[in-house]
Amino acid sequence: MTDEINSLTELIREFAEKRDWGKFHIPKNLAMAVAGEAGEPVAEFQWLTPEESSKESPSDEMAHAIAMEIADVQIYLLRLADVLGVDISKVVRDKIDYNETRY
Ligand SMILES: [Mg+2]
């Protein structure tokens, strides 16, 4: 695992442990949280035209809101991987290698 991914994983684990959230952070709940949060950036873009949703167009407020939703998804993914003992760096590289053979 890379140092930055490891550092973020530990930060999120400590945040959850301080709040005694371990009992809630079971794989089922975390997978559902990933799915729920993944819809939130979609909601930010939902009614925009393709042009309005381009990188140059969003207001600072909207760009911030989208970044925060991306963070939410990533936090739950990191927590899910941590709880399941998945090495994100390894599996992403493995998946990209596999995709190289498919596409
Ligand atoms: Mg969110």
Side-chain angles (χ1 to χ4, degrees):
M1 202 180 300
T2 66
D3 288 346
E4 183 62 11
I5 289 175
N6 201 33
S7 173
L8 289 170
T9 297
E10 287 177 13
L11 182 67
I12 294 162
R13 185 188 309 143
E14 287 168 14
F15 184 93
E17 285 174 353
K18 272 189 209 164
R19 289 155 182 82
D20 196 24
W21 286 352
K23 57 186 173 270
F24 304 117
H25 285 185
I26 61 173
K28 175 192 74 73
N29 290 355
L30 291 166
M32 292 172 75
V34 169
E37 290 294 341
E40 295 185 14
V42 177
E44 295 290 335
F45 287 113
Q46 181 168 291
W47 300 112
L48 302 181
T49 65
E51 294 75 24
E52 288 169 336
S53 67
S54 72
K55 186 178 170 189
E56 294 77 23
S57 294
S59 64
D60 289 348
E61 183 181 343
M62 183 175 176
H64 178 72
I66 292 165
M68 293 296 97
E69 300 306 346
I70 290 170
D72 283 342
V73 175
Q74 188 61 71
I75 287 167
Y76 279 126
L77 276 175
L78 286 165
R79 185 71 177 134
L80 178 61
D82 187 27
V83 167
L84 291 173
V86 171
D87 180 336
I88 291 180
S89 299
K90 180 184 183 315
V91 295
V92 168
R93 289 182 187 286
D94 288 350
K95 186 67 186 204
I96 291 170
D97 287 346
Y98 174 69
N99 288 344
E100 287 281 358
T101 69
R102 291 190 66 205
Y103 306 106

